[in-house]
Amino acid sequence: VSAGSRKLRIDLCYDGTDFAGWQIQPGLRTVQGVLEERLGRLAGGRPIRVSGAGRTDAGVHARGQVAVAEGPFALDDAALAYRLRRLLPPDVRPLRVATAGSDFDARRSARSKTYVYRLDLSTSGSPFERRFALHVPRGFDASRVERAVERLVGRHDWSGFTASGCTIEDRVRTMTEARLEPCAPGLVRFVFTADGFLTHMARNLAGTLLEIARGRLGPERVSEVLRSRCRELAGPTAPARGLWLERVEY
Amino acid sequence: VSAGSRKLRIDLCYDGTDFAGWQIQPGLRTVQGVLEERLGRLAGGRPIRVSGAGRTDAGVHARGQVAVAEGPFALDDAALAYRLRRLLPPDVRPLRVATAGSDFDARRSARSKTYVYRLDLSTSGSPFERRFALHVPRGFDASRVERAVERLVGRHDWSGFTASGCTIEDRVRTMTEARLEPCAPGLVRFVFTADGFLTHMARNLAGTLLEIARGRLGPERVSEVLRSRCRELAGPTAPARGLWLERVEY
């Protein structure tokens, strides 16, 4: 931490529909990019680096993303929160701004993350959920999913549920919560809590559970993917719009 | 009803954000226009007239709009519902299609309508509600609203809450329900049920209740507007995006 500089923890939510994901990319509108640009204005034009707890894909939403920014911010936390609320666009909103300890790291300090995948089971598909849930109009057998999700809990190598492009070597993570629950009339959601998630892991889990719900794969397939570490045995990657970074615990 | 023709009752919901309202207008995307065009395809290309229970303004949503269409539809109700689900865009969805009696009229047969006005009271404004609620970050005193809404129930002349351009002569309607209630974390809604609503009436009620909630008008102002029939005494017309046609009862 350089002199006059401090670390901020920013809790935020966003509608991911119109973002090319979290991570900064030249020429694209990303959450990290928008945050860095706006925070730069609050640091006297100095370039600000922001890191996030989860690098959400394009179209993925967040109800409880946590970002860390370091810079020479002259305002106190409350004033920064106020200014940030005014500067940020309506699809990304700060929930809390607090000064963090110098060793706080949005990703490495996280004890667990919870991702949620929402499904709209109504016949016609709700017009109010089309950005926020995957429409599954028929063939969703909840009891089949329930027999599958319980197999996810525990310490496993998640290679079989990871994108082939994933460069992370150690793919062992511990899933502490995996379940299906109703969340609104006509809507259900998968809830996954783990000490870490690999590239596309939550979406591949959702895609596999959907194949199981529709009867195309058996509930035991989940265990086979874990055991074999074979991506080909899992279902397809579910669309981004149903996925939410719900919460990060420290 | 001409030979081979029948009347359909279509219950539907829509996200009003990208519509120039219910009513057909040349060159604009309206709910009635989209319905007439799609239903025409299901009637062998014959022009189809659709009428609705409520002529919602641009940007107003519906969870339970009721439309009536008459035409030479060859398919049965279930097949029409299926085809209509496939033909209609994702922001307007049919909930039910049923053959109606020849004397059924979407507007005149209605016994009551319920409009809801949603308010997001969170500090930052939810990115997921920005199309569906008005953001009121501070100064909302619910107890003041509660003392005002109870004054709305009953048979009144609603001229004071009606747009100046309203051409309806008889402005007496009976409000059977008017209340404020929580509807989700950080969200509340006004609920209005009446045997009829005049132009901008629900939005003018919401706008007046908002002025009362913020302390700019007293709760008794509602009675003064009703008694005086003076539009100038009421609050401004609240933005369309918070308003929902929730339900029509027959």
Side-chain angles (χ1 to χ4, degrees), chain A residues 90-201:
Chain A
D91 52 352
V92 48
R93 308 302 304 152
L95 297 168
R96 208 172 69 101
V97 175
T99 297
S102 60
D103 57 347
F104 184 72
D105 182 288
R107 191 173 56 79
R108 283 195 298 260
S109 304
R111 208 156 38 82
S112 75
K113 276 177 223 155
T114 299
Y115 277 94
V116 154
Y117 198 94
R118 300 174 87 233
L119 303 168
D120 175 356
L121 303 183
S122 69
T123 305
S124 291
S126 168
F128 318 113
E129 296 292 343
R130 69 207 148 101
R131 288 179 180 79
F132 306 128
L134 180 69
H135 183 213
V136 181
R138 67 197 139 260
F140 187 88
D141 184 338
S143 70
R144 293 176 61 85
V145 173
E146 273 151 13
R147 277 178 288 146
V149 283
E150 61 192 26
R151 294 164 176 265
L152 294 170
V153 174
R155 189 176 145 90
H156 303 290
D157 183 314
W158 298 87
S159 296
F161 288 108
T162 303
S164 52
C166 178
T167 55
I168 299 163
E169 298 259 330
D170 176 12
R171 296 175 176 189
V172 175
R173 300 288 183 278
T174 300
M175 175 111 21
T176 50
E177 177 184 46
R179 61 198 159 83
L180 171 70
E181 62 182 24
C183 64
L187 293 174
V188 298
R189 60 186 197 176
F190 303 132
V191 180
F192 307 117
T193 301
D195 57 1
F197 285 82
L198 303 162
T199 310
H200 285 183
M201 176 173 149

Side-chain angles (χ1 to χ4, degrees), chain A residues 15 85 93-94 124-125 130, chain B residues 14-15 93-94 124-125 128 130:
Chain A
D15 171 353
R85 278 200 299 275
R93 308 302 304 152
S124 291
R130 69 207 148 101
Chain B
Y14 45 86
D15 170 354
R93 307 303 303 152
S124 291
F128 317 113
R130 69 208 149 99

Side-chain angles (χ1 to χ4, degrees), chain A residues 216-239:
Chain A
R216 294 186 200 147
L217 297 176
E220 70 290 348
R221 175 60 67 98
V222 154
S223 304
E224 291 161 16
V225 175
L226 290 172
R227 200 167 38 231
S228 67
R229 292 178 281 167
C230 176
R231 174 71 188 89
E232 283 67 40
L233 289 183
T237 307

Side-chain angles (χ1 to χ4, degrees), chain B residues 100-129:
Chain B
S102 60
D103 57 347
F104 184 73
D105 183 289
R107 191 174 55 80
R108 282 196 299 261
S109 303
R111 208 156 38 81
S112 74
K113 275 175 224 156
T114 299
Y115 278 93
V116 155
Y117 197 94
R118 300 174 88 233
L119 303 168
D120 175 356
L121 303 182
S122 69
T123 305
S124 291
S126 167
F128 317 113
E129 296 292 342

